[in-house]
Amino acid sequence: MGSDADPRRQIPRTDALLADDMLTAAAVTLGTAAVKAAVAAAQDRARRGELPPNAVLAAAQASVSQLLAASTSLRRVVNATGVVVHTNLGRAPLTDAAREALLAASGYVDVEFDIEQGRRARRGRGTLAALAAAVPPAEAVLVVNNAAAALVLMATALSRPGGISEIVVSRGELIEIGDGFRLPELLESTGTRLREVGTTNRTAAADYRAVLGERTAAVLKVHPSNYLVSGFTRSVSVRELAEVVREKQIPLVYDVGSGLLRPDPLLTDEPDVATALADGADLVIASGDKLLGGPQAGIIVGRKDIVERLRRHPLARALRVDKLTLAALEATLSRPETRVSAALHADPEFLRARTEALAAGVPAAGGEVVPHDGAVGGGGAPGLGLPGWALALPEAYAAPLRHGHPCIVTRVRAGRCLLDLRCVQPAEDAEISLRLSEIAATEIATTGAEH
Ligand SMILES: *Cc1c(COP(=O)(O)O)cnc(C)c1O
């Protein structure tokens, strides 16, 4: 390299690019620094071989127009990983109904106002009613910021007056929920002590029974949603636990994690909220943005007196959800066919046909349609593969797909870039096809990038 034939020598210089009329005009609105950064990023892409030198100006203009149009730094991503609840990509994508509801709620709304009577009304009553209707065994319902907030509120509100309270939990269920946050530390941050029972692989009803006492605030069962313990294992079912706590009148709380409201035949190992209540849990905690497919939220359902204790606790005010969440959650609950459930239950033959059409539309990319398992993700149903297909491309496609507009995130495995359409809306296939043709035309992807 380094000869005059090196295309990197042809990358336009910064001052030449900044002299462009469109970029000069944009600098007035965005500031020179932002425009310079866009120019530098486009030059870098060309240096890495992801862009031909003559496309640098257009790439800089494209990112600058995106900046001009956008009021958020969050960028739309096409999730072509096959991982449905992708934590790094914002977990659940909202339904169209939920997105419309967000927009409607963004102005003045009657979130806490009775239009009929002209006076204050219960905040978010429509959402709470929709949640109650979606989980018929629940006597009462409450929504807070996320499941972690629900756990903190539970541990705080149920603590026993005077002295230290204990929450009894199995050693096999002391999970880390991600990004370094651990359930035991979260609960203990409330001043409650965890009383661990059993071992990592085996816990019996007698282990719980032996430690219940005056200081016990609750027995907590946690669904270890992001890992599997297999082999010589034993855990205590909700039904058995309900028996254990009944004698002592101690609340049984079950954190099911995912937000699955009813059983799903595809997800046989995932607990659901309705069954947990029917089996005797007094309080069930779940996420709104995992398998429920809605906005981030902590769902709390169960016995009326306990839910009421949580709702009246001062901390509840600090953890309450805003009108946007309430609106999106209600819309999600009232239409059970979410994007999450569509992606989970996608017909493999339909995925195959779409993937083959994509491959056929861009022969220059030289992609091959291969079997590929999707995953539930987001710390749900570990070990469960969702049979499907992927377009296998040279690995060098991954970076330009990610850096373009829209940003397309794929899975890189064993030197290949795997593009899985499970979580891609069919209307987005054409955009992907276009990007693939653009990348194939630069030929960088087929000849191999430099890094
Ligand atoms: C994901 C998860 C949480 C945390 O939920 P957030 O809504 O992200 O706070 C808590 N418990 C379990 C079992 C989970 O799977």
Side-chain angles (χ1 to χ4, degrees):
M1 283 297 172
S3 75
D4 286 346
D6 185 345
R8 286 174 293 193
R9 298 224 165 174
Q10 293 154 27
I11 295 171
R13 291 163 39 137
T14 307
D15 49 0
L17 290 166
L18 289 175
D20 171 70
D21 284 349
M22 185 268 181
L23 295 182
T24 312
V28 176
T29 315
L30 298 171
T32 316
V35 174
K36 273 189 179 160
V39 163
Q43 289 169 320
D44 280 345
R45 286 175 58 193
R47 272 182 214 114
R48 290 196 301 263
E50 293 167 23
L51 270 185
N54 63 8
V56 169
L57 177 61
Q61 286 173 333
S63 44
V64 163
S65 7
Q66 168 128 351
L67 288 176
L68 286 170
S71 44
T72 168
S73 65
L74 289 176
R75 276 183 59 192
R76 176 186 150 221
V77 168
V78 173
N79 175 6
T81 62
V83 179
V84 180
V85 182
H86 199 303
T87 304
N88 301 151
L89 302 182
R91 283 194 185 165
L94 295 184
T95 59
D96 287 342
R99 295 159 78 128
E100 280 161 27
L102 277 178
L103 199 60
S106 61
Y108 291 123
V109 279
D110 62 341
V111 64
E112 237 180 78
F113 182 67
D114 181 336
I115 290 177
E116 195 63 39
Q117 307 288 329
R119 55 173 187 240
R120 191 179 183 288
R122 183 168 183 201
R123 185 179 172 84
R125 59 215 173 279
T127 308
L128 297 172
L131 181 56
V135 189
E139 285 176 19
V141 301
L142 180 65
V143 181
V144 292
N145 257 315
N146 52 22
L151 284 165
V152 165
L153 180 59
M154 177 279 294
T156 310
L158 298 187
S159 68
R160 316 214 58 149
I164 296 281
S165 293
E166 289 180 350
I167 288 184
V168 178
V169 63
S170 161
R171 288 201 170 89
E173 299 173 356
L174 297 171
I175 59 170
E176 175 170 314
I177 51 183
D179 198 20
F181 288 100
R182 296 175 167 169
L183 203 98
E185 290 161 8
L186 182 75
L187 290 167
E188 286 185 327
S189 72
T190 66
T192 299
R193 180 183 298 153
L194 278 199
R195 187 68 187 259
E196 302 171 12
V197 297
T199 61
T200 308
N201 57 333
R202 289 175 70 86
T203 304
D207 296 325
Y208 288 93
R209 212 173 267 121
V211 302
L212 299 186
E214 285 288 289
R215 305 310 318 154
T216 314
V219 169
L220 173 65
K221 186 173 172 61
V222 181
H223 174 54
S225 47
N226 50 11
Y227 76 103
L228 285 175
V229 181
S230 59
F232 184 54
T233 65
R234 175 174 181 181
S235 62
V236 186
S237 71
V238 179
R239 283 188 194 197
E240 282 176 275
L241 274 181
E243 290 288 316
V244 172
V245 299
R246 185 171 313 138
E247 305 150 17
K248 306 270 165 110
Q249 306 234 329
I250 291 167
L252 172 60
V253 181
Y254 190 4
D255 174 8
V256 299
S258 79
L260 197 63
L261 298 183
R262 289 167 292 273
D264 183 329
L266 180 73
L267 307 168
T268 45
D269 293 332
E270 281 296 306
D272 67 277
V273 176
T275 307
L277 286 175
D279 284 351
D282 295 305
L283 203 68
V284 179
I285 288 172
S287 262
D289 63 346
K290 292 183 183 172
L291 295 178
L292 181 51
Q296 175 189 298
I299 308 264
I300 303 172
V301 303
R303 239 171 66 190
K304 192 169 179 16
D305 58 329
I306 302 181
V307 172
E308 202 54 21
R309 235 168 109 185
L310 268 59
R311 192 172 77 81
R312 297 311 316 167
H313 193 280
L315 186 60
R317 179 62 177 77
L319 305 176
R320 82 172 191 186
V321 285
D322 78 334
K323 60 181 180 176
L324 300 178
T325 303
L326 287 168
L329 184 60
E330 180 177 2
T332 306
L333 288 165
S334 43
R335 325 254 164 112
E337 181 55 16
T338 60
R339 279 180 65 182
V340 166
S341 75
L344 286 175
H345 298 275
D347 173 10
E349 281 315 305
F350 180 53
L351 293 175
R352 181 182 192 156
R354 282 170 61 199
T355 313
E356 280 171 353
L358 190 61
V362 197
E368 186 195 351
V369 178
V370 298
H372 180 247
D373 274 2
V376 174
L384 178 73
L386 305 169
W389 300 88
L391 179 61
L393 297 157
E395 183 176 347
Y397 270 77
L401 278 171
R402 220 172 50 242
H403 294 147
H405 298 280
C407 162
I408 300 166
V409 179
T410 58
R411 215 174 197 190
V412 176
R413 282 287 178 286
R416 292 197 298 184
C417 164
L418 298 170
L419 201 157
D420 186 321
L421 296 178
R422 173 178 300 279
C423 312
V424 176
Q425 293 190 290
E428 294 171 321
D429 290 4
E431 271 183 298
I432 297 181
S433 177
L434 189 64
R435 278 298 297 142
L436 287 178
S437 330
E438 285 168 3
I439 296 167
T442 64
E443 283 198 45
I444 53 94
T446 41
T447 55
E450 294 267 331
H451 58 108

